[in-house]
Amino acid sequence: MAKDASAQTNNAALWAGMLCYVIWGIVPLAFQVMGRLDIGAWEILAHRTLWAVPTAFLFVILARQTPQLLQVLRQPRVMAWLTLSAAIIAVNWLVFIWAVNNGRVLETSLGYFINPLMAMAAGALIFRERIDAVGKGAIGLAAVGVTIQAIALGHLPIVSLTLAVTFCAYGVIRKRVAAEAQTGLFIECLILAVPGLVLIAWLERTGAGHFTTSQASALWLLACGPMTAIPLMLFSWAARRIPFSAMGFLQFIAPSMTFVMGVMQGERFTALRGVSFGFIWCGAAVFAYGAWRRSRLLRAAT
């Protein structure tokens, strides 16, 4: 009976992880709509943090985690870790919003293709998850792909590497911190909402804000709340229940969607960039094969 319950939890976590990445694959379109309304990345980020708070608090109530929330608020060490994870995810959000509204969707795609392989390396270094020869080959192929991308761009793919590093670091912290997904997410949003509210107030006071300029702008900015909180809650909940390397595997969903988006929107895609993505995709395929083989061996053993 316990094994059945554990299997059901793992399956639910797997579906939650898949859903969060599908949402993240669609979100760039919403940011681009806001960009066309002349809303800048900093303002979008501020509204993301502010309007995510009520959505995240609703999750805390539904999960009956109010007692845990009060307990976490009294633990300085846990609060310090959540403050760090909040700062890291804010950097990730800002870079991503800026990139998708400045013709760099393909660079965001590359970053999130790299991240699963970075997650595998982090899983080995931090969580002592074993990397076999297949995994090492996948990481090696990704490293070659990043090198070629740097040659194609004429500089390091800063956007791609920033997104990969920050999201990997966020996942590591959220897996280790002693707070459930809903509680941790609410506290992170609450921490970020303070500077977010200050920025929004300043923008509106100086006439540079867009929340009161039109109904469309207000609705899109309000939508940033659930658009931010829902996938992040799903990610945090799933990350605490399935192997970190498995979460990395699921992340191939979002960059595949954004890659298609970038190509369809006419971003420059040279032959050299194609070779770079080819190495990344080969690394992803090798990684997927390794994950499939390990799960098959595990099922056979049990």
Side-chain angles (χ1 to χ4, degrees):
M1 186 69 70
K3 287 185 177 180
D4 290 342
S6 178
Q8 289 177 355
T9 300
N10 287 340
N11 286 335
L14 189 65
W15 281 105
M18 290 175 63
L19 180 57
C20 83
Y21 286 120
V22 169
I23 295 172
W24 277 327
I26 298 171
V27 159
L29 294 174
F31 292 147
Q32 288 178 344
V33 171
M34 286 184 259
R36 286 193 287 272
L37 292 170
D38 203 30
I39 305 174
W42 282 100
E43 187 174 5
I44 295 173
L45 175 64
H47 281 278
R48 284 192 82 173
T49 60
L50 179 62
W51 303 118
V53 170
T55 308
F57 186 60
L58 177 62
F59 290 144
V60 171
I61 295 172
L62 292 176
R64 298 179 180 177
Q65 291 181 7
T66 307
Q68 189 197 59
L69 171 62
L70 297 174
Q71 183 180 7
V72 169
L73 289 171
R74 292 193 292 266
Q75 298 181 48
R77 183 180 177 83
V78 177
M79 288 296 296
W81 279 111
L82 288 173
T83 301
L84 179 60
S85 65
I88 289 172
I89 201 62
V91 172
N92 182 277
W93 289 345
L94 181 65
V95 172
F96 184 79
I97 295 166
W98 177 86
V100 299
N101 283 338
N102 284 273
R104 298 193 176 187
V105 175
L106 288 176
E107 289 186 50
T108 69
S109 174
L110 178 67
Y112 288 120
F113 270 120
I114 296 169
N115 187 69
L117 306 174
M118 192 173 287
M120 182 166 55
L125 293 172
I126 300 171
F127 302 114
R128 301 187 183 280
E129 297 175 4
R130 181 175 170 270
I131 298 182
D132 55 15
V134 173
K136 292 176 182 176
I139 293 173
L141 287 167
V144 173
V146 171
T147 302
I148 295 173
Q149 184 78 188
I151 296 171
L153 293 171
H155 56 80
L156 279 175
I158 301 299
V159 168
S160 305
L161 292 174
T162 301
L163 291 174
V165 170
T166 52
F167 200 75
C168 181
Y170 176 77
V172 168
I173 294 171
R174 291 299 284 116
K175 189 171 179 68
R176 293 179 69 95
V177 73
E180 283 295 329
Q182 296 88 338
T183 297
L185 174 62
F186 172 70
I187 293 174
E188 287 170 341
C189 292
L190 198 61
I191 291 168
L192 293 174
V194 176
L197 183 59
V198 172
L199 177 59
I200 291 168
W202 179 79
L203 288 172
E204 293 298 329
R205 184 177 179 182
T206 58
H210 293 81
F211 188 69
T212 57
T213 56
S214 70
Q215 187 178 27
S217 296
L219 289 175
W220 277 110
L221 289 170
L222 285 170
C224 285
M227 206 162 47
T228 296
I230 291 173
L232 204 55
M233 185 277 295
L234 291 170
F235 171 82
S236 298
W237 186 83
R240 290 175 60 84
R241 288 163 176 82
I242 60 177
F244 194 68
S245 53
M247 282 302 294
F249 171 68
L250 292 177
Q251 193 173 342
F252 292 134
I253 297 169
S256 298
M257 295 172 67
T258 52
F259 174 82
V260 173
M261 189 184 305
V263 172
M264 290 183 67
Q265 291 177 351
E267 288 192 21
R268 187 168 173 266
F269 190 67
T270 63
L272 196 57
R273 291 191 81 177
V275 172
S276 168
F277 271 97
F279 273 97
I280 298 293
W281 290 330
C282 286
V286 170
F287 177 90
Y289 167 73
W292 171 79
R293 190 180 68 171
R294 285 192 299 273
S295 64
R296 188 178 179 184
L297 291 172
L298 183 61
R299 283 198 301 269
T302 56

